[in-house]
């Protein structure tokens, strides 16, 4: 494990997406370049930015969008970009591995090397978000990567609603938490639609209870897939280690949101709060069950 820097510049990118891979990849690259020019060292793109959010509907044809990590059609391009610009790029993509399909993310270090692959742990299944049709549950466990600019912990979209994800990443040594996202309106008839405030508050809670910076990158715009149309609500943001939102885009802005993270200050604050000192993992057995009943040997 390398020494964690005292500060770093983090950028989250908010962008619209079309059904053209090369168009999306070129726009994503342009945003990364803009963020790097603004001083960003770690740059997060939204979830599955390579295409429309196809999980609105269940169609066999969309499995053709998946590719193996080895020889992937655009990951190599972003490796070269990371090397050229000297930035860290946690990069979302649709992975095919044998007969399995995953909602995955690779972490590309500032030298261009792929540090590892994470497969989304929590897979949603609801109107307009039919991910269980496309994605196997992730089998990698939670991942924290030791990059040139600190230890990066990343969950993917639905993972961001789970306090277990954030805590596991922090216990794995993460200096800050990132969540690439594709989320917006619910189809008509959904009884309990969420909204961007609820979405943000969930992650602000992770920032508070882990005394850690949190960044989320969402898409914007209206997308029609099959017979469904959804509008993605943007509001990508950065929260500090007290849970305060310190930078935010609105529902229509496109571009990079950049903020300096004072990791040294966050470490001191985290130690002083005592959340990790006062944990009682020996009493958390029910968290290892589905029904809340601790299994005893």
């Amino acid at each position: 494990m390398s020494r964690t820097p005292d500060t770093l510049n983090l950028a989250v990118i908010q962008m619209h997406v079309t059904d053209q891979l090369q168009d999306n990849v070129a726009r994503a690259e342009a945003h990364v370049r803009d963020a790097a020019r603004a001083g960003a060292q770690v740059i997060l793109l939204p979830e599955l930015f390579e295409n429309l959010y196809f999980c609105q509907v269940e169609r066999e044809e969309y499995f053709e969008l998946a590719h193996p990590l080895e020889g992937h059609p655009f990951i190599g391009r972003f490796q070269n970009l990371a090397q050229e610009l000297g930035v860290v790029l946690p990069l979302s993509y649709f992975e095919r591995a044998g007969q399995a399909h995953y909602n995955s993310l690779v972490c590309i270090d500032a030298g261009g090397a792929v540090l590892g692959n994470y497969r989304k742990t929590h897979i949603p299944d609801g109107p307009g978000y039919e991910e269980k049709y496309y994605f196997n549950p992730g089998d990698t466990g939670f991942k924290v990567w030791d990059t040139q600019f600190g230890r990066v912990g990343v969950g993917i979209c639905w993972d961001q609603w789970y306090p277990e994800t954030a805590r596991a990443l922090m216990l794995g040594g993460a200096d800050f938490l990132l969540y690439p996202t594709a989320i917006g309106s619910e189809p008509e008839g959904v009884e309990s639609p969420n909204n961007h405030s609820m979405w943000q508050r969930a992650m602000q809670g992770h920032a508070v209870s882990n005394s850690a910076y949190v960044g989320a990158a969402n898409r914007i715009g209206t997308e029609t897939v099959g017979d469904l149309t959804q509008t993605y609500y943007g509001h990508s943001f950065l929260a500090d280690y007290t849970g305060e939102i310190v930078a935010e885009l609105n529902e229509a802005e496109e571009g990079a949101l950049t903020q300096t993270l004072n990791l040294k200050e966050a470490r001191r604050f985290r130690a002083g709060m005592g959340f990790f000192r006062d944990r009682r993992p020996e009493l958390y057995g029910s968290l290892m069950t589905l029904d809340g009943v601790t299994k005893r040997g």
Side-chain angles (χ1 to χ4, degrees):
M1 183 186 300
S2 64
R3 187 184 72 85
T4 296
D6 290 341
T7 64
L8 71 84
N9 294 325
L10 171 65
V12 296
I13 289 172
Q14 184 165 284
M15 58 183 277
H16 78 280
V17 173
T18 73
D19 62 356
Q20 298 298 312
L21 171 66
Q22 293 306 318
D23 173 56
N24 298 322
V25 169
R27 191 176 329 99
E29 178 178 332
H31 286 313
V32 169
R33 290 186 180 278
D34 286 344
R37 279 192 290 269
Q41 297 163 303
V42 179
I43 303 170
L44 180 69
L45 286 156
E47 179 189 23
L48 299 174
F49 66 90
E50 64 200 83
N51 211 294
L52 301 178
Y53 181 70
F54 53 88
C55 306
Q56 289 190 54
V57 297
E58 298 183 2
R59 299 285 190 277
E60 292 177 1
E61 63 195 84
Y62 292 125
F63 284 103
E64 297 174 11
L65 298 174
H67 297 278
L69 175 54
E70 185 174 352
H72 193 274
F74 65 78
I75 289 175
R77 176 172 176 170
F78 284 94
Q79 287 183 264
N80 293 336
L81 185 64
Q83 182 178 32
E84 175 193 344
L85 301 177
V87 297
V88 174
L89 297 176
L91 198 72
S92 172
Y93 74 107
F94 186 11
E95 180 188 8
R96 185 176 79 242
Q99 301 304 319
H101 298 81
Y102 298 99
N103 187 336
S104 297
L105 177 144
V106 291
C107 187
I108 304 171
D109 205 0
V114 170
L115 299 179
N117 190 48
Y118 169 65
R119 292 167 173 167
K120 186 172 179 177
T121 300
H122 303 97
I123 310 297
D125 182 27
Y129 299 89
E130 307 281 354
E131 293 200 15
K132 279 189 169 66
Y133 177 76
Y134 294 100
F135 306 130
N136 294 85
D139 57 2
T140 59
F142 299 112
K143 295 287 187 177
V144 175
W145 291 289
D146 193 8
T147 78
Q148 291 188 32
F149 300 113
R151 289 180 60 80
V152 179
V154 184
I156 301 174
C157 202
W158 196 232
D159 289 334
Q160 69 206 357
W161 297 93
Y162 291 83
E164 297 89 345
T165 300
R167 183 52 54 88
L169 291 171
M170 293 301 296
L171 288 172
D175 293 317
F176 54 98
L177 303 175
L178 300 178
Y179 298 99
T181 298
I183 191 169
S185 62
E186 306 278 353
E188 264 187 70
V190 175
E191 292 183 3
S192 302
N194 64 63
N195 55 58
H196 81 266
S197 296
M198 178 178 166
W199 171 75
Q200 288 177 333
R201 284 194 296 269
M203 287 176 279
Q204 288 176 266
H206 304 331
V208 171
S209 59
N210 292 283
S211 301
Y213 288 98
V214 171
N218 196 11
R219 62 177 66 195
I220 55 171
T222 297
E223 300 177 16
T224 299
V225 178
D227 57 355
L228 286 183
T229 297
Q230 288 180 191
T231 299
Y232 297 89
Y233 50 54
H235 286 278
S236 300
F237 73 98
L238 297 164
D240 70 12
Y241 51 83
T242 72
E244 289 290 332
I245 293 180
V246 293
E248 179 183 4
L249 296 172
N250 65 26
E251 71 279 357
E253 291 178 285
E254 177 150 349
L257 190 64
T258 305
Q259 186 77 18
T260 298
L261 310 188
N262 191 326
L263 299 180
K264 180 179 180 180
E265 197 173 78
R267 285 195 302 273
R268 293 178 60 181
F269 183 83
R270 186 181 309 124
M273 286 301 298
F275 293 144
F276 289 87
R277 177 198 63 210
D278 298 339
R279 294 181 66 251
R280 297 291 306 279
E282 73 276 14
L283 301 179
Y284 300 160
S286 62
L287 298 180
M288 302 295 291
T289 73
L290 291 176
D291 63 2
V293 179
T294 302
K295 307 296 190 233
R296 301 185 185 277

